[in-house]
Amino acid sequence: MRTLASFTHTYIPGDIIFHEGDPGCTAYIIERGKVDVSISRNGEKLVLTEYKAGDLFGEMALIDETPRSATITVLEHTEVIVIDRSLFKAAFDTAHPLINLFMHSILHNLRKTNQLLVNKIVTPNYLANKNKFNSKFLEARNETVYLIKSENELTQAINEKQFKLYFQPVVDATSEKIIGFEALIRWFHPERGMVPPNEFITVAEQTGLIQKLGDWIISDACRQLSIFSGKAPQVFKHRPDFFVSINLSAKQFIFPDLLTHVIKTLKAHKLSANNIKFEITESILMDNPETAMVILEKLKQLGFRIAIDDFGTGYSSLSYLHTFPIDTLKIDRSFVNSMQENSTSLNIVHAIIGLAKAINLTIIAEGVETEEQLQNLKKLDCNYVQGFYYYKPMPFTEALQLLQQQQNQ
Ligand code: C2E
Ligand code: CA
Ligand code: CA
């Protein structure tokens, strides 16, 4: 289990969070309550300032590991987020040396100024100004608090297995048969209920948790694919290329352990790589083409199929389509949505389909919601569709039932 680099702690009035001179490797953000910051001079407590909800303290010792320069005394019932140095260690260790230098230089100057100020008379005017944070700092602090809280929640959610994969059928519009499923993650939060992926995938990426979450997604999608093939074997017999597609986020894609995990999972479930499709976005290819090429070629050699997701919304550099080993283009929902009203969208869809056919790529239209959209796509010779018109994403058991019905038809 991952130890939390941050957690909350509660104090009662009179508690000392730390003493002047203590060693320090934690910072604190006040969630609720009030503390004062003091130093001891000639045996007397000299209060420098007070901190309240939203204020951050203790960060200096966390950065340069020097002893605490003041004592923090709790004035009211106070709840703090405790941030451990381990949260920063990896970032510090890998940061550009200049960043470390600047940080330490700023701290050094700040400590010197603080010392000078303390040695002078601490005027009320000084105290008032010291408490004024500029708006940039506030913004950064709010963002950090949000990220820290979300990271804790997500870590807990992973450990407590609060995630589930939903499956959205991809349909051959001519035969109306399901040709595969896209696996889409859902978070069943104990208080918030079902949380859609757009609300947590970015945080998972920013905090690095996507690696662990992504590994779970791959494992679970493979586990469920093996149940699909075991319980609806006729479907796989008639369509050996029946697939479950798995979304890979950019951070997950470039992580060196991805291939090892994928190979291990495939073996564990005795699956054929041909039944698994990975969906990546155009930006993954364009941001780091050399790395993308190496990873994609390995995946391809292993027999996996690759789809470009949300096609048309990214860089749309056409040259990569034949450079990279791609099998499928998924036309983004925005084009399909506006195809009826907007002739440009219709022309774009038409052009994408023509292009894909010319270089032998499978085309799937995303976000098909109406009969009209479906008919238009069929006219343009796009037969593979995914969208609410046929099915919404559904839990595993429903998806399996659908597949078994199809098997019996
Ligand atoms: P996406 O990969 O483009 O997935 C398709 C999204 O469109 C899904 O939203 C799906 O529910 C929605 N959709 C499908 N048909 C229709 C339709 O007819 N109308 C409308 N309005 N929407 C439709 P969802 O499940 O909320 O996922 C949103 C995004 O979150 C996904 O977009 C994908 O980028 C990301 N995501 C979802 N699951 C995963 C995952 O397991 N791993 C990663 N890395 N990202 C995921
Ligand atoms: Ca997708
Ligand atoms: Ca998509």
Side-chain angles (χ1 to χ4, degrees):
M1 195 157 124
R2 186 173 187 271
T3 47
L4 292 183
S6 58
F7 52 90
T8 53
H9 196 91
T10 309
Y11 292 95
I12 57 167
D15 278 352
I16 307 282
I17 298 183
F18 54 72
H19 284 101
E20 188 179 351
D22 279 354
C25 57
T26 43
Y28 303 80
I29 298 172
I30 304 179
E31 285 259 86
R32 192 172 314 139
K34 206 198 278 184
V35 300
D36 72 23
V37 183
S38 66
I39 49 170
S40 173
R41 288 292 175 269
N42 308 322
E44 263 188 48
K45 176 177 171 179
L46 178 61
V47 175
L48 302 177
T49 187
E50 286 179 359
Y51 289 141
K52 54 187 185 327
D55 287 337
L56 165 74
F57 65 90
E59 77 283 12
M60 285 159 70
L62 180 135
I63 293 168
D64 64 7
E65 293 177 272
T66 49
R68 304 292 190 186
S69 54
T71 298
I72 304 289
T73 309
V74 176
L75 300 177
E76 292 172 0
H77 193 89
T78 294
E79 202 178 299
V80 293
I81 300 178
V82 185
I83 304 164
D84 192 84
R85 188 167 197 278
S86 60
L87 192 67
F88 292 96
K89 195 161 179 350
F92 274 166
D93 292 348
T94 51
H96 192 285
L98 266 182
I99 300 206
N100 271 321
L101 177 68
F102 284 2
M103 197 81 116
H104 284 95
S105 154
I106 292 166
L107 269 189
H108 176 76
N109 292 338
L110 191 63
R111 286 193 188 283
K112 216 162 69 181
T113 318
N114 276 354
Q115 201 53 51
L116 284 172
L117 285 168
V118 165
N119 290 344
K120 287 188 175 176
I121 303 161
V122 184
T123 64
N125 195 16
Y126 157 72
L127 285 181
N129 285 331
K130 193 169 183 269
N131 278 340
K132 268 189 202 153
F133 291 104
N134 67 40
S135 62
K136 280 241 159 67
F137 178 78
L138 278 175
E139 216 176 273
R141 192 197 58 199
N142 288 345
E143 246 174 57
T144 313
V145 170
Y146 172 75
L147 213 60
I148 287 169
K149 280 186 170 174
S150 309
E151 180 181 10
N152 284 348
E153 263 198 325
L154 270 183
T155 307
Q156 195 178 353
I158 294 173
N159 291 333
E160 291 179 3
K161 303 195 171 30
Q162 293 171 5
F163 296 98
K164 271 198 172 55
L165 290 182
Y166 268 39
F167 293 85
Q168 186 178 31
V170 179
V171 178
D172 177 337
T174 311
S175 64
E176 306 225 303
K177 291 255 160 58
I178 299 169
I179 60 160
F181 290 112
E182 175 171 6
L184 295 158
I185 194 168
R186 301 287 180 264
W187 176 7
F188 289 87
H189 191 285
E191 280 127 41
R192 286 156 66 197
M194 189 167 90
V195 183
N198 288 337
E199 287 180 31
F200 61 86
I201 290 286
T202 314
V203 177
E205 289 191 321
Q206 286 169 336
T207 54
L209 286 172
I210 191 67
Q211 189 204 328
K212 197 168 174 190
L213 188 61
D215 280 356
W216 177 82
I217 293 168
I218 293 170
S219 301
D220 213 51
C222 288
R223 182 179 67 83
Q224 298 188 308
L225 169 63
S226 78
I227 305 178
F228 285 140
S229 72
K231 298 215 163 165
Q234 290 305 319
V235 171
F236 286 74
K237 201 173 157 209
H238 291 302
R239 276 208 81 98
D241 60 346
F242 190 93
F243 63 87
V244 164
S245 68
I246 300 171
N247 291 283
L248 290 181
S249 94
K251 288 262 169 64
Q252 193 188 354
F253 184 73
I254 53 165
F255 198 78
D257 280 356
L258 174 74
L259 284 163
T260 322
H261 180 70
V262 161
I263 296 166
K264 205 176 80 192
T265 313
L266 197 71
K267 276 198 188 137
H269 295 287
K270 299 192 179 66
L271 293 170
S272 158
N274 182 47
N275 296 122
I276 298 164
K277 214 183 250 194
F278 287 112
E279 298 196 5
I280 56 169
T281 54
E282 291 167 284
S283 57
I284 290 183
L285 303 181
M286 303 312 290
D287 288 349
N288 206 337
E290 291 84 15
T291 313
M293 182 63 101
V294 173
I295 300 168
L296 286 182
E297 286 200 323
K298 287 239 174 76
L299 287 172
K300 194 75 203 159
Q301 275 164 16
L302 291 164
F304 294 100
R305 283 179 286 158
I306 314 290
I308 303 296
D309 205 358
D310 309 334
F311 186 75
T313 57
Y315 295 82
S316 298
S317 160
L318 300 181
S319 63
Y320 74 68
L321 287 181
H322 64 90
T323 327
F324 291 102
I326 298 161
D327 304 275
T328 304
L329 291 190
K330 297 190 76 175
I331 306 179
D332 188 64
R333 175 149 59 95
S334 57
F335 298 115
V336 176
N337 263 339
S338 54
M339 227 168 39
Q340 261 63 247
E341 305 83 49
N342 184 333
S343 62
T344 313
S345 290
L346 185 71
N347 290 336
I348 291 175
V349 172
H350 195 170
I352 295 175
I353 293 169
L355 172 78
K357 289 211 178 298
I359 51 174
N360 248 338
L361 300 181
T362 307
I363 274 272
I364 297 173
E366 291 194 286
V368 180
E369 291 181 350
T370 66
E371 172 76 33
E372 210 185 351
Q373 288 167 353
L374 180 71
Q375 293 314 329
N376 263 327
L377 287 161
K378 280 171 103 173
K379 264 189 231 150
L380 296 175
D381 210 13
C382 173
N383 291 320
Y384 297 156
V385 298
Q386 180 183 348
F388 296 173
Y389 176 75
Y390 279 114
Y391 303 103
K392 289 192 167 170
M394 59 187 79
F396 171 75
T397 42
E398 277 176 44
L400 179 60
Q401 267 172 15
L402 263 183
L403 219 53
Q404 288 179 316
Q405 278 166 20
Q406 178 162 318
Q407 173 169 257
N408 298 330
Q409 275 165 10

